[in-house]
Amino acid sequence: MASQTPLKGTELVDCARANAKQGIETAAYQCGYGDDLNTFAQELRIACEEMNLQVKELTDLITDQDLILNLGAGEIVAPDTASNL
């Protein structure tokens, strides 16, 4: 659910990270900035600097842990029964 007011600080970083895979438009909207991408990007940079995070673009917020969680989203291939290989 999108925030009613623009988020700031750690809440903004958390929201942006959660929506980073969907792109900047979605992340800005979900964080309460609507279609004001410039303000969203500026506030996100400020919030990241306050947290000492080295972030140049939104996708930098996607961590290795997030990527590993997606590895398990593949198709499961297994026999129908234990005796039917």
Side-chain angles (χ1 to χ4, degrees):
M1 185 169 153
S3 176
Q4 298 296 322
T5 60
L7 300 176
K8 305 275 185 189
T10 56
E11 290 178 337
L12 173 58
V13 174
D14 289 344
C15 181
R17 179 177 175 232
N19 293 286
K21 292 178 190 170
Q22 285 77 33
I24 191 168
E25 293 87 3
T26 301
Y29 177 78
Q30 293 294 335
C31 295
Y33 289 87
D35 60 357
D36 188 357
L37 302 181
N38 290 328
T39 303
F40 169 71
Q42 181 180 6
E43 291 296 327
L44 183 58
R45 266 190 227 104
I46 291 168
C48 287
E49 286 175 8
E50 290 173 354
M51 295 175 66
N52 292 322
L53 295 175
Q54 301 296 321
V55 176
K56 293 182 182 177
E57 57 186 49
L58 185 63
T59 56
D60 291 342
L61 291 174
I62 301 172
T63 64
D64 291 340
Q65 184 178 17
D66 295 328
L67 297 173
I68 289 170
L69 290 174
N70 282 340
L71 290 178
E75 187 175 331
I76 297 175
V77 178
D80 293 332
T81 65
S83 63
N84 185 8
L85 300 176

